[in-house]
Amino acid sequence: DHAVKVSVNPEDQGWCQFELLKHNGSSKDELIGLGMASESEGLPGIAAGIFHHVALMSLGSDDAGIFANRSMRNRQTTSRWSL
């Protein structure tokens, strides 16, 4: 919780918030909400990591493929910015 408060940029804050949600055993819906917010805020790297995690949480259901694809789309966005 402290790391989120002292983070100096939105990307660091997002990663800290994601780790805090995982640590607290947050629901899949809460993680999806953070992923969607990250996309809206222009943070595709965080969104990709979150949706990858949600895909793993969803293994064995149709949702796993949906979230894996969403993660990959965000990763592709990140790769374009890195070039």
Side-chain angles (χ1 to χ4, degrees), residues 65-76:
I66 293 167
F67 289 110
N69 286 336
R70 194 163 184 168
S71 174
M72 292 305 297
R73 282 196 311 271
N74 278 290
R75 286 188 199 287
Q76 290 170 346

Side-chain angles (χ1 to χ4, degrees), residues 1 4-6 10 28 33 54 61 63 75 83:
D1 191 35
V4 174
K5 293 175 185 171
V6 299
K28 189 165 55 169
V54 172
S61 74
D63 290 345
R75 286 188 199 287
L83 297 176

Side-chain angles (χ1 to χ4, degrees), residues 10-19 21 30-51 70 74 77-78 81:
E11 186 171 5
D12 287 344
Q13 290 173 345
W15 283 115
C16 291
Q17 194 172 8
F18 175 45
E19 291 299 327
L21 287 175
E30 290 173 298
L31 292 167
I32 292 167
L34 180 60
M36 292 173 66
S38 297
E39 285 177 329
S40 296
E41 294 170 13
L43 300 169
I46 298 168
I50 293 168
F51 290 129
R70 194 163 184 168
N74 278 290
T77 300
T78 303
W81 288 107

